[in-house]
Amino acid sequence: MKIIVINNEVEAKEGEFLLAALRRQGIKIPTLCNIDGLDPSGSCRMCVVEMEGRPDLVPSCAFPVYEGLKILTHSERVVTARKAIVELLLSNHPDDCLYCVRNGNCELQGLAQEHCVSERIFSGSKNSYKLDYSSPAIVRDPAKCVLCGKCVRVCEEIQNVACIDFAGRGSKAYIGTAFDEGLNVSSCVKCGQCILVCPTGALTERSHIDEVMAVLHEKKKHIVVQHAPSVSVTVGEEFGLKAGKDVNGIMTAALRKMGFDRVFETSFSADLTIMEEASELADRIQNGGKLPMFTSCSPGWVKYLEEFYPEMIDNLSSCKSPQQMLGAVIKSYYAEREDIDPKDIYSVSVMPCTAKKFEIDRDGMGRGDTSDVDAVLTTREFAKMIRMMGIDFNSLEPDGADTPFGIRSTAGKLFGASGGVMEAALRTAHYFLTGKELEIFEIKEIRGMKGIKEAKVMIGELEVGVAVVNGVGNAQKLLDEIQAGRDDIHFVEIMTCPGGCVAGGGQPIGADPEKIKARMRAIYKIDKEETLRTSHNNPDIKRLYDDYLGKPLGHKSHELLHTHYVERKDIMK
Amino acid sequence: MNNNAINEVIEKYPSAKREYLIPMLQDVQEIQGFVSKDSVVMIGDHLKLPGAKIYGVATFYNQFRFNKPGQFHIQICRGTACHVKGSVNVLESIERALNIKVGQTSRDGLFSLEVVACLGACGLAPVISVNGEFYANVDNKKLFKILKNLRKEGGTK
Ligand code: SF4
Ligand code: SF4
Ligand code: SF4
Ligand code: FES
């Protein structure tokens, strides 16, 4: 079908919205409230266009195309209307850009610039709002909110949590929690998906930059850092590289430059997680334990289960996440080996995830008053620190991780993509249960962006049913099926964020599906190209068990690598 | 909180349609004097609605309170006559004196504050009512005296 855009014929597809057609032609239309993949809400009106035969301007994001449609995308009227919207938004906005996390990366700022807003037009009184600093992971600053509603929709329609919504009305409307309580006592699972779509600085992670910087400058502690499997294929985007470019070695080099005494990879402890988790699965299968077993490495999902399905807590693997496992062996095995008092170790992690900031202080983590991990930096915070420290990221020479955790398998790396934990676990579970390696490592059915992915895998004589839930918003369906009696599934991987950690709430701002797919491909490429592809064959893992842990699920493992969960009753759901 | 009363409200609406939300909240407020957290949780369970959504809908309308009324529930008239006679100042003074905003209850549980469209006593403007009892021609001096007396009364209970 053809539509006519500023006198040019342009191809459009039956049934699509005008905005999509225009975008495909490379015509840039500003938007604020539109989220790819969800129904348009048509509320911000930034995307308006002029249409022949219609007196009013029409939001292109919500207008279905038809043959012969004639529009103007940047007429004087349109541009004036858009500028007026921006000016109106700014009239109730703090002039805080210089002190704002999103300075330089803010859609509102960008729109003001694009529309040549050069003075404050309206200067009436502004609403006053309380900053919500209650959550260990997410900070909400309603003063910077432009009420686009994207966070609300992502939280409800994608994540199925719905802990925030519009409240009040008219000029007093705001986004809030039930009873305006702190986000920390709401059902928020700290996934940070709302941050990724927020056009402004109204939603950000609780920053640990100052704390980590201070420790780095003081140099009093032995400072160690771990970086998560997915970060190496995303952080490059913060430095102008294309999505999915793997910069693992460069990251490691950057961390050394920043002053960390040791640099480890969480992919190593992902291998460790697999050893414990696969053993736990084998144990549950052989000894009639609770099935299906659920993965426990994604803290947002763990909280979701504790709130919404507490009756299924026993299905959760007791394994700590790779972050916590590495933290625990750093402050035990590593500390003993290096003869350092665990209290003198400051342990940082670089994570794709905001919920990891919540996880480090969970009950059942750490030992006594020694925490497993002391601070968590998101990919974004990490990039910011690199810039703060004047490190020219792209000119660094790649470097490797430190002993005694220097080697990782690609199975550990797979943790970065939805479905990866499952593939990694099956490789090792197969070996544990049969004594033989799997013949084909790749399980195509559980890769990709589908919400629920399932497969049947033969482990010896036993047909094992596995399911991968890609994004916690898809969990309800499967959990309800299981509660209703579905029993052909033994093992379920659930990642809180759609796409898995590569699309985590701590990753570079934005939720472009193409970028997420490119990041995923990068992870699978690493797995394909390297030779050490199973956790149980990782020599550093073997040494860790031989020297210190004994065997999976053994006494030391239980003390260091496993945890427990709580029913969260008092949460407003 | 009296959860039986909330259960009774819920039982009145067995078919769990979302359009019953507002009537249910009204019933709860009628019985409890405000919309409690418990009631939102229970109604949410019944209607399969998240608490944040219910609160969002409820705050859209001015009629709902979310705090247990204080021992002394102060209503301040914002009708035209009272407005002309300076009810804004009275409101501000009360808010400052009690350190609460409209819709809130003071931490000691003594006072709660509500704005009403018109108390129907325009001749007495500006007027406030405390637990239904009217005070006429209120100015700051009068107000402080009223509050002082109420505090005393409340304290002795
Ligand atoms: S949210 Fe954007 S426009 Fe607002 S202060 Fe921050 S950078 Fe500036
Ligand atoms: S962090 Fe996740 S659960 Fe919390 S408000 Fe944002 S989207 Fe919702
Ligand atoms: S917090 Fe951000 S995403 Fe949510 S409505 Fe406000 S501006 Fe939009
Ligand atoms: S993007 Fe179209 S109305 Fe907001």
Side-chain angles (χ1 to χ4, degrees):
Chain A
M1 142 191 340
K2 297 243 185 304
I3 59 172
I4 295 156
V5 183
I6 331 177
N7 296 325
N8 295 313
E9 275 201 357
V10 154
E11 199 58 48
K13 290 184 200 152
E14 189 77 45
E16 72 179 339
F17 291 113
L18 181 53
L19 178 69
L22 294 172
R23 282 211 174 138
R24 214 176 25 254
Q25 301 302 323
I27 302 170
K28 222 182 135 205
I29 305 289
T31 61
L32 270 178
C33 68
N34 188 63
I35 306 179
D36 286 334
L38 294 189
D39 291 340
S41 71
S43 63
C44 75
R45 301 191 62 83
M46 269 315 295
C47 66
V48 288
V49 296
E50 201 171 337
M51 217 166 261
E52 197 178 271
R54 281 186 70 138
D56 52 336
L57 298 177
V58 178
S60 60
C61 69
F63 193 88
V65 291
Y66 58 80
E67 180 72 44
L69 176 66
K70 260 183 149 173
I71 61 155
L72 298 173
T73 58
H74 288 80
S75 65
E76 191 191 352
R77 235 184 111 199
V78 167
V79 173
T80 311
R82 288 183 193 149
K83 183 173 179 180
I85 294 170
V86 178
E87 284 169 341
L88 208 62
L89 291 174
L90 290 176
S91 72
N92 194 29
H93 198 87
D95 294 324
D96 261 2
C97 295
L98 282 174
Y99 312 100
C100 183
V101 268
R102 291 292 293 273
N103 189 12
N105 181 21
C106 169
E107 288 179 43
L108 182 60
Q109 205 181 41
L111 288 172
Q113 213 165 47
E114 277 164 33
H115 292 86
C116 283
V117 175
S118 55
E119 58 185 317
R120 202 165 248 297
I121 303 277
F122 307 96
S123 50
S125 71
K126 293 177 193 169
N127 294 337
S128 61
Y129 304 94
K130 264 212 315 269
L131 184 78
D132 181 355
Y133 207 70
S134 65
S135 163
I138 314 284
V139 180
R140 291 192 326 117
D141 184 358
K144 289 180 185 160
C145 172
V146 295
L147 297 176
C148 71
K150 282 205 266 197
C151 54
V152 172
R153 303 196 61 200
V154 161
C155 191
E156 178 176 358
E157 294 172 43
I158 296 187
Q159 298 299 73
N160 196 21
V161 173
C163 61
I164 43 174
D165 210 323
F166 283 90
R169 76 159 131 188
S171 65
K172 294 271 191 291
Y174 61 97
I175 306 286
T177 55
F179 291 89
D180 299 315
E181 301 224 319
L183 206 55
N184 63 330
V185 293
S186 76
S187 59
C188 171
V189 302
K190 340 264 183 202
C191 66
Q193 288 299 307
C194 51
I195 299 178
L196 294 182
V197 297
C198 181
T200 72
L203 288 166
T204 62
E205 67 268 61
R206 174 79 161 255
S207 175
H208 289 184
I209 292 181
D210 290 350
E211 198 179 313
V212 175
M213 274 295 192
V215 177
L216 282 172
H217 288 313
E218 266 175 28
K219 294 193 167 47
K220 282 205 195 110
K221 297 225 168 184
H222 182 73
I223 314 167
V224 301
V225 65
Q226 55 171 305
H227 55 86
S230 63
V231 179
S232 77
V233 300
T234 62
V235 71
E237 292 166 44
E238 292 273 347
F239 298 96
L241 303 174
K242 64 176 197 311
K245 172 93 181 124
D246 181 33
V247 293
N248 200 64
I250 296 175
M251 263 185 78
T252 301
L255 287 163
R256 280 196 213 296
K257 267 220 138 109
M258 287 161 77
F260 289 99
D261 296 311
R262 292 287 186 283
V263 183
F264 302 124
E265 292 187 21
T266 316
S267 306
F268 165 82
S269 54
D271 280 337
L272 184 57
T273 304
I274 289 300
M275 294 295 282
E276 296 290 327
E277 204 159 27
S279 306
E280 189 183 350
L281 178 67
D283 180 62
R284 288 186 189 221
I285 288 176
Q286 285 167 337
N287 300 318
K290 188 94 175 164
L291 290 170
M293 184 172 87
F294 300 154
T295 56
S296 56
C297 41
S298 186
W301 146 246
V302 170
K303 185 167 186 266
Y304 180 91
L305 185 92
E306 290 173 327
E307 298 173 344
F308 294 101
Y309 289 86
E311 61 284 3
M312 296 179 102
I313 279 179
D314 289 343
N315 293 75
L316 266 183
S317 159
S318 66
C319 291
K320 285 183 186 173
S321 70
Q323 160 177 280
Q324 298 301 120
M325 283 202 184
L326 189 51
V329 293
I330 286 171
K331 290 199 184 176
S332 56
Y333 169 64
Y334 171 79
E336 280 176 35
R337 198 183 135 105
E338 303 281 313
D339 199 17
I340 307 172
D341 183 349
K343 296 216 165 15
D344 292 331
I345 296 178
Y346 188 78
S347 185
V348 179
S349 65
V350 178
M351 291 283 138
C353 179
T354 44
K356 290 280 163 191
K357 290 173 185 270
F358 152 77
E359 184 181 56
I360 58 173
D361 287 326
R362 271 189 68 105
D363 228 28
M365 298 296 173
R367 280 187 305 161
D369 51 8
T370 307
S371 49
D372 293 334
V373 174
D374 297 296
V376 176
L377 300 168
T378 61
T379 307
R380 297 188 292 270
E381 289 174 277
F382 171 50
K384 213 166 260 177
M385 283 181 70
I386 292 174
R387 288 190 284 265
M388 278 169 85
M389 294 188 150
I391 296 167
D392 182 4
F393 191 78
N394 292 325
S395 72
L396 293 172
E397 283 298 324
D399 201 348
D402 285 304
T403 44
F405 312 129
I407 301 173
R408 58 127 182 88
S409 79
T410 62
K413 198 74 185 166
L414 284 179
F415 271 60
S418 158
V421 176
M422 181 60 74
E423 273 190 57
L426 287 172
R427 292 175 193 179
T428 293
H430 187 275
Y431 179 76
F432 283 170
L433 283 163
T434 66
K436 290 200 262 317
E437 300 290 350
L438 258 180
E439 269 167 36
I440 301 166
F441 283 156
E442 291 86 359
I443 307 173
K444 292 266 166 2
E445 301 96 304
I446 56 174
R447 296 188 175 185
M449 284 301 282
K450 253 177 58 189
I452 299 180
K453 303 174 273 188
E454 292 188 22
K456 298 273 183 263
V457 181
M458 291 307 293
I459 297 187
E461 301 292 291
L462 179 73
E463 188 186 72
V464 174
V466 301
V468 171
V469 175
N470 177 25
V472 73
N474 298 305
Q476 185 177 11
K477 181 165 176 279
L478 187 72
L479 296 179
D480 288 348
E481 284 172 13
I482 293 168
Q483 285 194 324
R486 189 169 169 194
D487 61 1
D488 62 327
I489 296 176
H490 299 82
F491 191 21
V492 186
E493 175 205 296
I494 299 107
M495 288 299 152
T496 310
C497 298
C501 305
V502 288
Q507 298 286 26
I509 294 293
D512 178 352
E514 291 313 312
K515 282 192 181 164
I516 293 168
K517 282 186 216 151
R519 297 167 183 171
M520 275 181 143
R521 280 196 300 275
I523 297 262
Y524 289 120
K525 183 162 169 267
I526 294 167
D527 179 51
K528 201 165 156 200
E529 288 175 350
E530 294 183 18
T531 48
L532 177 57
R533 299 178 67 189
T534 48
S535 305
H536 53 276
N537 288 314
N538 178 341
D540 278 358
I541 288 286
K542 285 183 184 160
R543 180 177 55 202
L544 176 58
Y545 278 104
D546 289 347
D547 285 2
Y548 193 71
L549 292 173
K551 59 179 194 322
L553 305 185
H555 171 70
K556 269 242 144 56
S557 290
H558 267 288
E559 189 188 326
L560 292 169
L561 309 181
H562 291 259
T563 187
H564 57 263
Y565 309 101
V566 289
E567 182 175 346
R568 294 178 191 269
K569 282 197 219 96
D570 299 328
I571 291 274
M572 171 82 59
K573 280 174 278 204
Chain B
M1 196 44 50
N2 184 357
N3 288 351
N4 288 341
I6 304 171
N7 271 325
E8 273 167 34
V9 171
I10 289 172
E11 277 157 24
K12 270 174 65 189
Y13 301 91
S15 66
K17 285 190 194 136
R18 290 183 182 190
E19 70 238 40
Y20 294 149
L21 176 59
I22 297 291
M24 289 176 91
L25 291 172
Q26 282 166 335
D27 288 359
V28 166
Q29 175 147 307
E30 180 80 31
I31 296 166
Q32 301 188 324
F34 72 113
V35 175
S36 64
K37 275 181 206 163
D38 284 7
S39 71
V40 168
V41 171
M42 291 164 74
I43 292 173
D45 278 349
H46 183 60
L47 298 181
K48 302 259 173 307
L49 279 173
K53 181 141 276 152
I54 297 180
Y55 184 70
V57 170
T59 52
F60 186 85
Y61 302 94
N62 273 330
Q63 51 175 301
F64 295 112
R65 297 180 47 84
F66 304 99
N67 295 300
K68 193 171 180 218
Q71 186 182 341
F72 303 110
H73 185 57
I74 304 176
Q75 290 177 309
I76 172 156
C77 180
R78 294 282 286 120
T80 319
C82 285
H83 181 70
V84 172
K85 292 276 186 88
S87 62
V88 187
N89 295 334
V90 180
L91 176 61
E92 277 177 3
S93 298
I94 298 181
E95 287 186 338
R96 229 171 301 132
L98 299 178
N99 199 15
I100 55 173
K101 295 246 172 268
V102 173
Q104 296 180 337
T105 302
S106 62
R107 296 189 67 147
D108 54 14
L110 276 185
F111 298 103
S112 52
L113 185 58
E114 181 186 356
V115 165
V116 289
C118 183
L119 284 168
C122 304
L124 309 175
V127 63
I128 66 172
S129 109
V130 178
N131 294 349
E133 192 178 324
F134 282 29
Y135 294 83
N137 304 322
V138 178
D139 57 12
N140 275 352
K141 213 172 125 205
K142 220 168 174 178
L143 177 70
F144 293 138
K145 219 169 123 197
I146 297 168
L147 294 179
K148 205 170 141 198
N149 287 338
L150 290 174
R151 275 214 177 92
K152 234 190 257 159
E153 196 189 323
T156 56
K157 267 201 179 169

